[in-house]
Amino acid sequence: MASEPAPIRKDDVDAALRAVRGASHRASLAALAYDMLSRQAEGRAFYAGKKLVQGRAEEHGVSHDDAATEAGNLLAILERGPETALERALVVAFAVAGLGDALRGADEKSASERVFRFVRHADWLSVCTEYSVHPFVDPLLEEGEAARVHREIAQAIVDDAAGRDGEQPRTRARNAARLSALASSSSEAAREALRSVVRSTALDEATRLLASTLAGDGSAEQPALSASVAGRLGRSPRPGPIEVLRWISGLAIILWVLRALAFALGARWSGEVRLAKAGLEVRTRVSLLGRTVRERDETWTLDALEGAGRQVRYPALHLLVGAVALSTGVLFGGLVLFDGARSGELVLLSLAALLVLAGAGLDLALDVLVPARRGTVVVDLVARARRPLRLTRVSLEEADSFLRALRNRLAAKS
């Protein structure tokens, strides 16, 4: 049984770097390696093939004698495929050096495109093959070129996290590898790129937590975070059996009607939670026609906090209402259309068209306008010996900022 390939170690990286820097035909060898690894990653191929390698070597003017280095013959390695960790390190080192040469002779647009492709190719090579690309970026690229790569890695993380598959396991795994690459670099550009990821509002919470931890438990994001959150007081969720009993007994409907009447008369319930040194300062307020009727201040210790989170209320309700409207319009419009076609009445035909268009229009409006107004969430806080607190109509950014600040405080406390 074949043994698992040995991973690339620091000694292999150092030996490959010495070989690149001491190569007699460094430029042509770098161009060949960059060309071959780019083609391999673009085609998702684990092996390039001897004929292709020989053809590209001839194109770049590389002979077997020219390809000799102190770590091995690069052309021979490419023809048969690398077999050891040092050989893989040698191929990648020359490829990264080739990227640097290509960037120095390219305009801004071409350089950006090359870096974009390089980062995506490095993702595939690092995850699907035994190549390890990122350890060679800082040693072989100039400071500005390496900074380009680090910024593109950070941008790739944010782009993937904000996409439709942002919370899929494969996307999180790919972003975890990118974050590790940034964290393993000692350059200031890599650290700044990591901080920019932490400051982004597009990340899912798992990726944000990893980025924050690698950046230093969120220390870089704390100045930009909001230490308070405010919204309208909502009814906190109850355990399942109690909730069922409320609806069966009719109490839920009665309370909802009473609350709706009070709201119509100008009653408002609001709350604010502020992160302070002593813990969470909770202020609740009841007002009538703009005047405060009752106000209450509490302090929740962080040790008593049992849970904190945010969620979207009724995320698909507008879709349900829209579907019912469309179905109703089509159903009744069809019935009226049938009567109008049978009797020849123009009024009935017009009414049928109006019903169908009204149903379709309402469905379209709910499907387009409601998502456009999204961005508000519910924040729930639970603590021992306290009634659960629910704040509604909180902006998404404010909720995420507060929860991250709270998480950072808890992490620093532990």
Side-chain angles (χ1 to χ4, degrees), residues 235 242-253:
R235 190 182 65 83
I242 297 179
E243 194 69 18
V244 172
L245 183 61
R246 290 179 72 254
W247 282 100
I248 292 177
S249 64
L251 180 62
I253 298 177

Side-chain angles (χ1 to χ4, degrees), residues 112-163:
S112 298
E113 291 175 352
R114 285 184 179 274
V115 172
F116 176 86
R117 289 197 301 270
F118 173 80
V119 169
R120 271 63 183 181
H121 293 166
D123 288 341
W124 184 81
L125 291 168
S126 299
V127 173
C128 299
T129 72
E130 298 300 327
Y131 289 116
S132 184
V133 179
H134 297 293
F136 298 94
V137 170
D138 288 328
L140 289 173
L141 297 183
E142 294 180 356
E143 184 177 352
E145 298 164 353
R148 271 181 176 271
V149 174
H150 296 317
R151 288 195 297 269
E152 183 57 40
I153 294 173
Q155 188 61 51
I157 294 170
V158 175
D159 289 345
D160 281 3

Side-chain angles (χ1 to χ4, degrees), residues 12-349:
D12 302 317
V13 174
D14 294 339
L17 292 175
R18 288 193 301 269
V20 170
R21 290 163 180 160
S24 301
H25 300 82
R26 176 192 175 281
S28 57
L29 294 178
L32 174 62
Y34 176 53
D35 184 6
M36 293 311 305
L37 267 196
S38 297
R39 290 172 179 270
Q40 187 174 336
E42 195 71 32
R44 300 296 190 262
F46 294 99
Y47 176 63
K50 185 175 181 179
K51 289 186 178 181
L52 176 60
V53 173
Q54 290 175 343
R56 300 313 300 166
E58 184 177 350
E59 181 72 22
H60 290 286
V62 175
S63 66
H64 272 275
D65 292 338
D66 297 337
T69 72
E70 64 179 75
N73 190 294
L74 179 64
L75 184 53
I77 293 172
L78 289 172
E79 287 177 345
R80 60 172 166 77
E83 297 175 345
T84 67
L86 177 57
E87 291 179 350
R88 293 194 301 274
L90 184 68
V91 172
V92 174
F94 272 109
V96 174
L99 170 68
D101 294 342
L103 291 178
R104 292 179 199 108
D107 56 27
E108 181 65 25
K109 181 179 179 181
S110 178
S112 298
E113 291 175 352
R114 285 184 179 274
V115 172
F116 176 86
R117 289 197 301 270
F118 173 80
V119 169
R120 271 63 183 181
H121 293 166
D123 288 341
W124 184 81
L125 291 168
S126 299
V127 173
C128 299
T129 72
E130 298 300 327
Y131 289 116
S132 184
V133 179
H134 297 293
F136 298 94
V137 170
D138 288 328
L140 289 173
L141 297 183
E142 294 180 356
E143 184 177 352
E145 298 164 353
R148 271 181 176 271
V149 174
H150 296 317
R151 288 195 297 269
E152 183 57 40
I153 294 173
Q155 188 61 51
I157 294 170
V158 175
D159 289 345
D160 281 3
R164 60 185 299 178
D165 297 327
E167 297 188 5
Q168 294 295 324
R170 63 178 181 274
T171 304
R172 287 180 173 177
R174 186 164 55 245
N175 277 341
R178 292 165 174 165
L179 289 169
S180 298
L182 290 177
S184 62
S185 173
S186 59
S187 70
E188 180 59 32
R191 287 194 290 271
E192 179 56 35
L194 190 57
R195 295 188 193 105
S196 71
V197 174
V198 175
R199 292 192 294 266
S200 171
T201 60
L203 301 183
D204 61 281
E205 197 58 29
T207 303
R208 187 190 306 283
L209 179 60
L210 177 59
S212 178
T213 302
L214 291 175
D217 289 330
S219 57
E221 65 171 336
Q222 288 182 13
L225 296 180
S226 173
S228 65
V229 63
R232 292 189 178 180
L233 288 179
R235 190 182 65 83
S236 301
R238 299 290 192 272
I242 297 179
E243 194 69 18
V244 172
L245 183 61
R246 290 179 72 254
W247 282 100
I248 292 177
S249 64
L251 180 62
I253 298 177
I254 296 174
L255 293 177
W256 184 86
V257 171
L258 292 176
R259 192 175 183 90
L261 289 175
F263 184 84
L265 294 174
R268 300 292 185 270
W269 297 264
S270 60
E272 181 182 7
V273 181
R274 184 176 300 276
L275 187 59
K277 291 183 178 180
L280 293 178
E281 295 180 351
V282 180
R283 170 170 294 180
T284 56
R285 182 183 298 107
V286 180
S287 61
L288 183 63
L289 298 177
R291 296 185 177 183
T292 300
V293 176
R294 187 180 66 185
E295 192 173 62
R296 182 177 181 179
D297 292 318
E298 297 178 330
T299 299
W300 296 9
T301 62
L302 295 181
D303 293 334
L305 191 65
E306 293 183 340
R310 56 97 169 162
Q311 60 178 313
V312 179
R313 298 186 74 186
Y314 318 126
L317 181 60
H318 68 286
L319 298 177
L320 177 61
V321 175
V324 171
L326 178 60
S327 301
T328 303
V330 172
L331 177 61
F332 286 98
L335 293 175
V336 175
L337 177 63
F338 177 76
D339 290 339
R342 187 177 59 180
S343 62
E345 290 288 340
L346 182 61
V347 175
L348 292 177
L349 293 175

